[in-house]
Amino acid sequence: QVQLVESGGGLVQAGGSLRLSCVVSGRTFSNYAMGWFRQAPGKEREFVAAISWRSVNTKYADSVKGRFTISRDNALNTVHLQMNNLNAEDTAVYYCARGRLTVVADTAAFFDSWGQGTQVTVSS
């Protein structure tokens, strides 16, 4: 059974930065792509970023390109999301997810394990 635990969320002013982390336990981490999704109040869950198992490939939502960076440390079973220049539209619960495959994907159907989420609130 896979467990994913996110951390690093919080309240930040517009223009600020946060770094989210997700620790994965229970099964092999390095053979799978990892991703971050988010869900704002009243909206559907949306893709944010994904990274392939060897960190060769990454993919980002257009709304976060140039501001967010996804990375992973396979030795520590951890994936990070560095978020810079945050704005109010980034306010959401952020979820870490483990992919079904080694390659990146941007739809939830390609991810089979999810964390409980961490709240990010950006004040304007």
Side-chain angles (χ1 to χ4, degrees):
Q1 183 176 356
V2 179
Q3 290 186 323
L4 296 86
V5 179
E6 303 98 335
S7 62
L11 174 64
V12 64
Q13 289 187 335
S17 299
L18 283 175
R19 188 184 192 223
L20 305 184
S21 296
C22 173
V23 178
V24 183
S25 62
R27 290 186 64 182
T28 302
F29 171 80
S30 61
N31 290 349
Y32 299 93
M34 294 295 298
W36 288 93
F37 287 72
R38 67 186 182 186
Q39 187 167 18
K43 296 186 177 181
E44 294 186 353
R45 189 173 299 189
E46 65 174 1
F47 169 77
V48 175
I51 187 167
S52 61
W53 73 296
R54 287 181 174 176
S55 304
V56 173
N57 295 308
T58 57
K59 187 176 180 65
Y60 296 92
D62 288 342
S63 60
V64 307
K65 279 181 182 176
R67 301 187 298 121
F68 290 13
T69 302
I70 188 171
S71 62
R72 67 189 293 166
D73 186 335
N74 289 344
L76 297 179
N77 288 3
T78 302
V79 60
H80 302 285
L81 185 68
Q82 177 66 43
M83 307 186 295
N84 298 328
N85 194 21
L86 287 160
N87 57 60
E89 288 69 40
D90 296 317
T91 295
V93 177
Y94 283 71
Y95 297 91
C96 172
R98 193 197 71 168
R100 299 179 185 273
L101 306 171
T102 61
V103 297
V104 296
D106 60 3
T107 55
F110 286 94
F111 295 83
D112 61 3
S113 299
W114 298 80
Q116 293 300 307
T118 185
Q119 176 71 47
V120 171
T121 303
V122 184
S123 63
S124 56

